[in-house]
Amino acid sequence: MSSIDFGFTSGDAVLITGAGSGIGRQTAQRAAESGLAVSLWDIDPTGLEDTAERVRTVAPAVHTWVGDVSDDDAVKAGFADASSTLGTIRYLHNNAGPASSADIPFDRALEICVGSVRRMTDAWAAAGPGDGAAMVATTSVAGNLIGTDNAWYSASKAAIMGYVRHLVAYRSAEFRSNGVAPGMTDTPRLAGFAASETGQRVLSRIPLKRMASADDIAWATLFLLSPAASYINGVFLPVDGGWTVTQ
Ligand SMILES: NC(=O)c1ccc[n+]([C@@H]2O[C@H](COP(=O)([O-])OP(=O)(O)OC[C@H]3O[C@@H](n4cnc5c(N)ncnc54)[C@H](O)[C@@H]3O)[C@@H](O)[C@H]2O)c1
């Protein structure tokens, strides 16, 4: 699939966190192909530069910011830098988050995962994203629909949707908010999963018999951000090949 016209205004800007890999990188690629300027954020400078290289030839403008989205000062400085480079940032993709296999204390993990979504959204909204603004958070089927063995991952992904519902109830005059919920997605953090014994077992229970690609999630994200979804507000959109329906 090359490009889909979701009705974006060419030159409008989207900020994507976790853009140095996986879902964020692919969303950046598709956003750039859709005519959007991109502000790419990641804690990993190498991955970030790699993404920036890929989109530079297609995006109307590219801004990069190396920083930790759970760090208040980095977020404020990043927004100031992004706004001065790109002007109004109409769209926000709150996507960065640690892998469920990471060993992080529960309280700190919630601060990183949910706290950063709130921090980024507050900073973005304060700058005035303007008419048609929208935010999409990458949550997960984990936590919202199925429990994981890792307590913080389930809790934080479900909490992100709780925050989205707050935004919808109280901030819809400023912007729309939705959650995209990947199932098993083929990104570097799940490298080798499909070929593993556990992976084969899980995949056999997914009606579409494959993992999601990062592109599957990118398109769903861009749709929810776009003018084509202008009356969609507060949805939790599983992109999981039907996996959770069969659980
Ligand atoms: N891959 C899956 O199966 C899957 C399933 C459900 C949900 N998700 C969610 O999708 C999102 C993206 O995951 P992915 O699979 O593309 O992973 P990935 O590891 O390929 O990419 C994540 C990127 O986020 C960056 N990042 C992590 N913490 C950060 C921080 N504090 N500040 C700035 N950047 C940070 C990383 O450096 C990395 O480049 C995550 O929120 C993840 O929980 C993934």
Side-chain angles (χ1 to χ4, degrees):
M1 206 180 316
S2 53
S3 148
I4 298 174
D5 184 359
F6 287 138
F8 288 115
T9 299
S10 189
D12 268 2
V14 59
L15 191 161
I16 300 166
T17 67
S21 178
I23 292 166
R25 168 174 290 168
Q26 197 56 27
T27 306
Q29 178 74 39
R30 294 310 192 180
E33 290 166 5
S34 302
L36 295 176
V38 290
S39 175
L40 310 172
W41 290 37
D42 207 287
I43 203 167
D44 166 25
T46 310
L48 186 63
E49 193 39 46
D50 191 355
T51 304
E53 260 322 293
R54 292 167 191 235
V55 303
R56 236 168 227 134
T57 49
V58 267
V62 178
H63 166 262
T64 57
W65 182 256
V66 178
D68 180 347
V69 291
S70 72
D71 176 335
D72 214 37
D73 291 341
V75 166
K76 282 188 184 130
F79 257 99
D81 200 57
S83 303
S84 73
T85 308
L86 299 180
T88 300
I89 296 174
R90 189 92 57 214
Y91 306 107
L92 173 63
H93 183 199
N94 272 312
N95 169 71
S100 61
S101 55
D103 184 17
I104 312 173
F106 187 90
D107 290 0
R108 175 64 188 141
L110 261 72
E111 166 61 18
I112 294 172
C113 298
V114 197
S116 63
V117 172
R118 185 195 60 80
R119 183 172 294 105
M120 289 294 301
T121 305
D122 278 352
W124 167 71
D131 289 346
M135 187 281 287
V136 168
T138 308
T139 174
S140 176
V141 295
N144 293 282
L145 297 175
I146 37 184
T148 58
D149 59 350
N150 192 329
W152 67 258
Y153 194 76
S154 270
S156 63
K157 288 304 190 184
I160 288 172
M161 269 320 291
Y163 178 62
V164 165
R165 287 189 269 273
H166 156 78
L167 293 172
V168 168
Y170 292 97
R171 307 285 296 270
S172 285
E174 297 165 75
F175 54 90
R176 291 183 300 109
S177 305
N178 290 291
V180 73
M184 292 293 170
T185 307
D186 192 6
T187 65
R189 68 176 54 178
L190 284 188
F193 177 78
S196 70
E197 209 184 306
T198 315
Q200 288 293 311
R201 207 171 45 244
V202 172
L203 290 182
S204 73
R205 293 205 305 264
I206 298 175
L208 292 185
K209 306 292 179 210
R210 66 170 177 89
M211 295 174 85
S213 64
D215 221 19
D216 290 323
I217 313 302
W219 284 125
T221 303
L222 279 180
F223 168 64
L224 288 175
L225 287 174
S226 77
S230 63
Y231 202 62
I232 301 180
N233 199 15
V235 302
F236 168 80
L237 178 62
V239 185
D240 69 349
W243 179 30
T244 47
V245 170
T246 59
Q247 292 306 290

